Amino acid sequence: MADDKETVVSATEELNEQMQVRRDKMAAIAALGIEPFGRHYEPTHGCGDIVKNFDILENQEVRIAGRILTIRGHGKASFANLLDISGKIQIYLRQDVLGEETYRHLDLLDIGDIVGVEGTVFRTQRGEISVKATKFQFLSKALRPLPEKWHGLKDVETRYRQRYLDLIVNPDVQKTFIIRSKIIQSLRRFLDSKGFLEVETPILHPIAGGAAARPFSTHHNALDMKLYMRIAPELYLKRLIVGGFEKVYEVGRNFRNEGISIKHNPEFTMVELYQAFADYQVVLNLTEQVIATIAQEVIGTTKISYQGQEIDLTPPWDRLTMTEAVKKYSGIDFSAIKTVEAAREVADQLHIAYEPKHGIGAIMNLVFEEMVEEHLIQPTFIIGHPTEISPLAKRNKENPEIADRFEAFIFGREIGNGFSELNDPIDQKNRFLNQVAQRESGDDEAHMMDEDYVTALEYGLPPTGGLGIGIDRVVMFLTDSYSIRDVILFPHMRHKG
RNA sequence: GACCCACUAGCUCAGUCGGUAGAGCACCUGACUUUUAAUCAGGGUGUCGUUGGUUCGAGUCCAACGUGGGUCACCA
């Protein structure tokens, strides 16, 4: 079609000078009988490893490969810096070593190209550990220029949309994602060592349950069936406890169809774990242990600095009931409030908005969110949430209006949530019915009825403690990242306009 | 969803009161055999996010839209 032709032509016209020059060089490389986009190369050493191990490697022959970051030509000799995953090293290229013809190929070399170099490890007069190249070959031509070497890439939009550029030119970014990987490794090591079994449960759910959130919905064509992206793995993991696994965990992605902020990405990573015969106290202790262990293993300390604030992750963390916390920071004693009318009056005085569906417990939770959360800078467990807002948690034995539940807060942000699991199928069914009623009255974050889950409970769920920890937020704290987007490789973005 | 801020060369950024579009790096041409933000000489490569409006004249003022960031709202 004519349209296609025009597309090709206009695409060609869009090449700026630098892109055209690089394409010309690519063609010149091909004209020499060299593939501009190579196939295979076996480095013997990492660039950064050579620098680290110079004592052993001095005067040794090495073969390295990486991306050209800088080139400094000096006539019949040139210097370049080569980057691979292990770090950077300088390469020194001399016409009299490489030969005139090969040396001329350097004219076709650009910053950003990926090349292989063989040569001898040595130290220059200025003390820079370098490789004196005896051979040099093109591995992949870069057809676009890299961002600037000194200021790097700062444009936030480009950094997120083209994360590969961010990773190439901003070394701290790579560091953050290496730490992220180590955090998850450390988490798995910890749980494995405690006898937990790692499992995988569905991400496509016929019923989205386990949390109060709006799901993404999708459709299975062959089955002509509506499906949801999971908002939490909770109900499946507890089915596994019914099935006889006594300690399970899953590290995985949850999807929630909600707003985006520095603390929220539509897909985010959580670990959820369940331990049979345990209660919320057991998993509460586990929470502070696992976070402290990860911090110690990955960054070498449990005393961290986040956004200029010193935070001590060393157990034990503070423990405070929600009622106590609300009293401490708002002056309101909800244990003395016995009617919804009284609770509403308090909320009105504090100018906190509530809805008709909110009972005493939900209103206390609103006060908590509004007046308490921001003060919980040092790691703090808030214990004893209203049962009203905890439809999957077991009631407290002494006070059925509160649940055996906790949330862990750091820097005013919730990083974990755990409870004694509701294992009474009759109570669970009634709570679901309650949620369904709320749903029908317009709350699209209320739970859907999950009959099969209730059936599973009817076969017997042992007393169980369950815990969920937001991994992204943990990574944020341990890498001192301001935004969740800085700990997610490809954060969600709109279509480019 | 509301409000605020940003968008200028490949990258990082200037751009005065509305009067011919600028710098550094990168790039191009040349010199240079231990440099390292190499240096030296020469060269500006642009749909000023988009579309309208005001004006003799708009990168600059106004409006709408787009994208990003932030605050709030919403929310594990």
Side-chain angles (χ1 to χ4, degrees), chain A residues 28-316:
Chain A
I29 291 167
L32 291 168
I34 301 169
E35 288 186 303
F37 303 100
R39 292 166 191 279
H40 179 238
Y41 196 80
E42 284 186 23
T44 58
H45 294 79
C47 297
D49 295 334
I50 294 173
V51 175
K52 277 171 224 145
N53 300 310
F54 177 73
D55 293 348
I56 324 167
L57 291 171
E58 186 169 14
N59 297 320
Q60 300 290 304
E61 294 296 309
V62 294
R63 191 161 57 234
I64 55 179
R67 192 183 293 275
I68 297 284
L69 288 184
T70 55
I71 306 173
R72 296 175 291 281
H74 291 263
K76 295 186 177 64
S78 297
F79 295 89
N81 286 318
L82 201 60
L83 173 73
D84 70 14
I85 190 64
S86 69
K88 278 190 274 192
I89 195 166
Q90 177 170 268
I91 55 177
Y92 178 44
L93 306 115
R94 293 174 58 110
Q95 189 189 62
D96 57 5
V97 177
L98 289 168
E100 263 186 52
E101 196 189 329
T102 305
Y103 193 77
R104 250 200 314 278
H105 294 173
L106 294 183
D107 292 341
L108 304 175
L109 185 65
D110 284 307
I111 290 172
D113 290 356
I114 294 169
V115 300
V117 172
E118 283 183 56
T120 316
V121 177
F122 78 113
R123 197 191 282 272
T124 63
Q125 286 173 4
R126 295 292 180 92
E128 176 97 4
I129 294 165
S130 308
V131 171
K132 187 185 290 182
T134 51
K135 283 186 189 166
F136 146 85
Q137 81 181 72
F138 293 102
L139 294 179
S140 282
K141 186 71 193 159
L143 297 181
R144 292 173 183 264
L146 284 183
E148 204 230 3
K149 60 182 172 187
W150 190 246
H151 298 92
L153 178 64
K154 291 189 175 166
D155 182 76
V156 182
E157 184 172 355
T158 309
R159 286 187 48 224
Y160 295 153
R161 286 191 193 276
Q162 295 179 274
R163 183 68 91 177
Y164 43 90
L165 291 179
D166 195 26
L167 288 165
I168 292 168
V169 303
N170 295 329
D172 286 350
V173 175
Q174 213 175 58
K175 215 176 290 170
T176 294
F177 288 103
I178 290 170
I179 292 176
R180 181 179 175 117
S181 175
K182 287 180 174 166
I183 286 168
I184 294 171
Q185 270 178 40
S186 174
L187 169 71
R188 286 200 162 101
R189 198 178 316 127
F190 179 91
L191 293 175
D192 293 345
S193 77
K194 300 260 181 220
F196 281 86
L197 180 75
E198 180 168 12
V199 296
E200 293 173 278
T201 64
I203 287 175
L204 296 174
H205 287 188
I207 298 167
R214 268 185 289 259
F216 288 94
S217 55
T218 183
H219 183 258
H220 191 293
N221 288 343
L223 300 180
D224 187 22
M225 181 183 182
K226 183 167 189 174
L227 288 169
Y228 301 95
M229 309 289 284
R230 74 171 173 204
I231 54 175
E234 171 153 353
L235 301 183
Y236 283 94
L237 292 172
K238 282 190 277 190
R239 283 174 171 96
L240 296 179
I241 301 292
V242 170
F245 289 123
E246 293 185 357
K247 291 179 173 182
V248 295
Y249 75 97
E250 178 165 10
V251 179
R253 213 71 64 82
N254 291 346
F255 307 83
R256 298 185 185 176
N257 206 339
E258 289 156 0
I260 295 173
S261 78
I262 56 166
K263 291 180 286 184
H264 299 86
N265 195 61
E267 51 182 295
F268 63 100
T269 301
M270 284 208 20
V271 59
E272 281 200 15
L273 64 86
Y274 293 86
Q275 179 172 341
F277 312 116
D279 65 3
Y280 78 105
Q281 287 288 354
V282 173
V283 290
L284 180 148
N285 291 328
L286 200 64
T287 304
E288 57 187 8
Q289 263 184 62
V290 71
I291 297 294
T293 303
I294 289 170
Q296 189 65 46
E297 280 189 16
V298 176
I299 60 171
T301 175
T302 53
K303 293 183 168 61
I304 63 166
S305 170
Y306 183 72
Q307 305 294 298
Q309 172 76 51
E310 300 302 316
I311 292 172
D312 189 354
L313 302 171
T314 316

Side-chain angles (χ1 to χ4, degrees), chain A residues 279-281 321 383-388 390 393-405 419-422 427 431:
Chain A
D279 65 3
Y280 78 105
Q281 287 288 354
T321 68
I383 298 167
H385 295 61
T387 304
E388 184 186 342
S390 313
K394 200 168 175 67
R395 294 174 192 273
N396 182 264
K397 198 173 173 187
E398 278 73 43
N399 181 0
E401 292 308 309
I402 67 165
D404 282 341
R405 177 182 176 188
F419 37 87
S420 298
E421 302 300 331
L422 176 54
D427 193 357
R431 302 242 208 132

